Amino acid sequence: MPRYRFTVEYDGGPYSGWQRQASGVPSVQQAIETALRACSQEEVTVHASGRTDAGVHARGQVIHVTMGKAWNPYRLMQAVNFHLKPQPVALLDAVQVADDWHARFSCVGRWYLYRILCRKAPPALERGRVWSVAYSLDADAMQQGANRLIGLHDFTSFRASLCQADSPIRTLDRLEVTRVGNEIHITAAARSFLHHQVRNMVGTLALVGQKKWTADDVTAALEAKDRSAAGPTAPAEGLYFMGAVYPDEG
């Protein structure tokens, strides 16, 4: 049975997150599976490289689906996009892959972008797509704090209380803070992340950017191994799943 890989872009605002919900609440997975059923008359399950929470967006989510019959990948992508309208979900590319290739289990890295808009005026065009704050943030100070989190650590202080991961140990490969106009962009990359890890790290770094915390406070929070020791959870709307990395793809 042929298997196809797609890159997906979506606005997470209208959805309960990536994963299909038993209650029937709209999810991105459900939207794509419904579109696939409409164009193929098949009941299929879509698998993603990583789940996203309610309100979190994606520019490079990677998914796969196994179909009962062969399709031209481009034609299948176009058919699914047609049936997704007018929902804010789109397949960006398509390719047939090996039968044992898996969007999640073949993945060796994931990366996210978090956007913070720093200005007094609220966003009009970017509403729901950035964390809007009415104060300035010191990007250099935030980077100093971010440097304390890079590497292999116990990230208990930065995981959600309901996180289902077996271990809080993770290796954070990259945590980069840059200023882009009146926005602060925070890029995080790792093989895998704990539930809410990126948003909790961003909330903590925002305290450093406001000069309420120092880099030493970030280290103390990390070493405490206690969620209450770190900063608040940043809002979902500023977070984007940017891409997944697979062997031999760089």
Side-chain angles (χ1 to χ4, degrees), residues 224-244:
K225 301 177 185 177
D226 181 344
R227 176 68 192 97
S228 65
T233 304
E237 59 261 30
L239 184 60
Y240 295 75
F241 187 107
M242 296 297 292

Side-chain angles (χ1 to χ4, degrees), residues 111 150 172-176 187-190 193:
W111 63 290
I150 296 172
L172 185 61
D173 298 315
R174 179 184 177 196
L175 191 60
E176 183 175 299
T187 303
F193 290 89

Side-chain angles (χ1 to χ4, degrees), residues 106-243:
S106 299
C107 183
V108 296
R110 297 160 178 86
W111 63 290
Y112 289 84
L113 168 69
Y114 198 96
R115 298 171 58 197
I116 307 174
L117 176 65
C118 304
R119 72 182 193 194
K120 292 185 178 180
L125 299 179
E126 295 296 311
R127 183 178 181 181
R129 295 182 175 87
V130 294
W131 177 17
S132 176
V133 300
Y135 44 79
S136 62
L137 292 171
D138 185 331
D140 292 335
M142 293 172 72
Q143 184 63 66
Q144 292 176 23
N147 292 340
R148 304 296 182 91
L149 300 175
I150 296 172
L152 175 67
H153 300 290
D154 181 328
F155 282 99
T156 296
S157 296
F158 298 91
R159 71 188 296 193
S161 60
L162 299 179
C163 180
Q164 298 178 354
D166 293 334
S167 170
I169 307 298
R170 290 292 186 273
T171 298
L172 185 61
D173 298 315
R174 179 184 177 196
L175 191 60
E176 183 175 299
V177 183
T178 56
R179 180 174 296 281
V180 181
N182 55 6
E183 290 188 19
I184 296 290
H185 289 186
I186 301 174
T187 303
R191 184 181 184 92
S192 63
F193 290 89
L194 301 166
H195 191 202
H196 285 178
Q197 181 182 345
V198 176
R199 291 168 59 190
N200 291 338
M201 293 190 301
V202 170
T204 299
L205 294 179
L207 294 176
V208 179
Q210 295 176 71
K211 302 298 181 68
K212 294 180 178 179
W213 277 32
T214 67
D216 287 341
D217 293 319
V218 176
T219 298
L222 179 67
E223 293 176 347
K225 301 177 185 177
D226 181 344
R227 176 68 192 97
S228 65
T233 304
E237 59 261 30
L239 184 60
Y240 295 75
F241 187 107
M242 296 297 292

Side-chain angles (χ1 to χ4, degrees), residues 24-93:
V25 176
S27 70
V28 182
Q29 181 184 19
Q30 178 190 52
I32 296 173
E33 290 176 349
T34 300
L36 278 162
R37 182 169 63 248
C39 68
S40 70
Q41 309 307 307
E42 294 184 43
E43 292 288 342
V44 296
T45 299
V46 175
H47 301 272
S49 57
R51 298 174 184 175
T52 53
D53 291 332
V56 176
H57 315 297
R59 290 180 177 171
Q61 175 71 275
V62 177
I63 67 173
H64 85 259
V65 62
T66 301
M67 304 296 293
K69 68 174 185 179
W71 283 75
N72 174 286
Y74 178 79
R75 291 178 65 87
L76 179 58
M77 178 186 72
Q78 291 294 82
V80 173
N81 280 337
F82 175 82
H83 288 285
L84 278 168
K85 296 176 182 178
Q87 298 189 73
V89 182
L91 307 187
L92 304 182
D93 58 34

